[in-house]
Amino acid sequence: MKKVYIETYGCQMNEHDSERMLAILSDNGYVQTDKPKEAEVVIVNTCSVRAKAEQKAYSSIGRYTGLKKGKPGSEKDRVVVFSGCVAQQEGKKLLGRFKGLNIVVGPSQVHRIDELVNKAKTDGTVIAVAPDKDQERFRNPVKGVHGVKAFVTIMEGCDNFCSYCTVPYLRGREVSRHARNIIDEVYALVASGVKEVVLLGQNVNSYRDNSEGRQITLYELLSALNDIKGLERIRFITSHPKDLTDELVHAFTDFQKVCPHLHLPIQSGSDRILKLMARGYTVKEYRDRIDRIRALMPDIALTSDFIVGFPSETGEDHRDTIQFIRRANYDNIFSFKYSDRRLARASTYDGKVPVQVIAGRLKELQDAQLEITRKIYGALTGTLQQVLVEGESKKQGRQQGRTAHGRIVNFSGTVPEGTVANVLIDDYSDNALYGKHITEEE
Ligand code: SF4
């Protein structure tokens, strides 16, 4: 049996690209293994957003190409693939750097993985990094790789050019997928047992499909998906604050299946830093936006992203960020240390913040958020939550699922996967709620 091993770094788009490569290869008779030595195809799907992930990917590729050395025969057939944003960034150079590397493939060409593997078997090496604007780039055979929840790409690329980010250079400019193909994919997912879809894109708010003679926006797409029988929940990430229209905000109340959870990255609570980041909004504009959302839907769960230690960030900028976090009352945040990325403009900015200072600020930020998360989770103790059951929890004897607000719940019970269970919350940790399944009779 042909086996494929895949290792993924980075964002959910990358996770989903890996899923797609696996689905395409499984259509070609491959099964997944967690042992690289057993695999005929070894893929490292890389991320260039942070220096650490990039370094880890290089060392993995070094290890896997090294597996070939001195082992002729069966080893010579192994195909080693370097995919994702670092592959796009470095291109052909990687073949010189890693002897034994066969394929370098950028994010917009991963849908060709089957064809590329076959080509590498005859030609030895293949490069596929030219940007692909064709709709075929979204190809995703829906087959047996999904549980209760599935990711669905609706657009790729970004036109925003935030000064710290390499996405527009590596994933290219925005391309929206045709709504018809998205709707068909969601129907197929639901038929295979999926109950929740997460619509993915670097900037989903600017989704626009003009293929049917008129413009279809994200709001309209959500409206169409909301009508699919058997689908229970819809989420979408990532939203850019400057493109979040009032119409889209109303999707939370207009469509019953759109979950009351919005991930809205602000990145910093200082106007000066936001300007340097070229984010296109001020703190006040962002704050007004979330106030409007909460006026419409008071209990919506908001989450956000932060970059700590952007060039020239002062103690005062950092304090403004912490103050902002306290006011925004996020359920949770994702916070990262700033690191220079070669293609990004900010890598040329003066005023680099020392690493120890960044580490200290990151901890302060995370501690401030932890206090807020604990308060929100603590207030949920004693409430009944509707949990979409995703499977077994890592803790033995418990099940795990999520509320519509996106909160993880571990609970005792024996509820079939894909069912919405009533769970009475009796405890919480820093990242999950705990409880017990309540049956109808109770
Ligand atoms: S919005 Fe900014 S941070 Fe997000 S992908 Fe686009 S350029 Fe990068």
Side-chain angles (χ1 to χ4, degrees), residues 59-78:
S59 73
S60 288
I61 279 289
R63 250 191 342 274
Y64 304 140
T65 49
L67 282 177
K68 289 181 164 186
K69 281 181 196 152
K71 291 191 180 172
S74 63
E75 294 295 333
K76 81 178 183 335
D77 293 329
R78 176 175 289 131

Side-chain angles (χ1 to χ4, degrees), residues 158 160-162 164-165 167-168 202 240 279:
C158 188
N160 285 322
F161 291 90
C162 299
Y164 54 84
C165 183
V167 163
Q202 267 85 23
H240 194 300
R279 289 290 290 171

Side-chain angles (χ1 to χ4, degrees), residues 273-401:
I273 295 295
L274 285 178
K275 199 165 177 203
L276 284 171
M277 286 176 165
R279 289 290 290 171
Y281 52 83
T282 62
V283 175
K284 183 179 180 312
E285 282 162 352
Y286 180 99
R287 198 176 52 220
D288 289 351
R289 178 106 321 175
I290 61 173
D291 286 351
R292 282 217 295 281
I293 297 168
R294 285 208 168 111
L296 194 69
M297 184 168 249
D299 86 326
I300 194 165
L302 295 178
T303 53
S304 195
D305 291 341
F306 288 84
I307 294 174
V308 179
F310 187 83
S312 84
E313 184 192 74
T314 61
E316 196 182 336
D317 295 320
H318 171 63
R319 282 190 289 282
D320 285 347
T321 300
I322 298 221
Q323 204 177 12
F324 185 80
I325 278 193
R326 297 216 162 96
R327 189 191 184 282
N329 206 34
Y330 294 117
D331 242 55
N332 229 321
I333 59 164
F334 299 89
S335 47
F336 306 96
K337 294 178 190 166
Y338 171 83
S339 61
D340 274 344
R341 304 286 64 218
R342 188 162 49 81
L343 296 172
R345 284 197 313 284
S347 66
T348 63
Y349 289 3
D350 292 335
K352 296 286 150 53
V353 181
V355 283
Q356 312 88 294
V357 175
I358 296 182
R361 286 180 188 170
L362 185 73
K363 177 151 185 350
E364 278 175 22
L365 189 81
Q366 291 175 339
D367 287 349
Q369 178 56 43
L370 212 52
E371 260 178 53
I372 299 160
T373 303
R374 284 176 186 154
K375 258 192 212 151
I376 294 174
Y377 282 15
L380 292 168
T381 309
T383 63
L384 203 59
Q385 297 289 321
Q386 276 72 54
V387 176
L388 177 60
V389 182
E390 292 177 5
E392 291 298 310
S393 148
K394 279 184 198 140
K395 287 210 170 158
Q396 247 195 350
R398 284 188 185 248
Q399 291 187 280
Q400 190 175 77

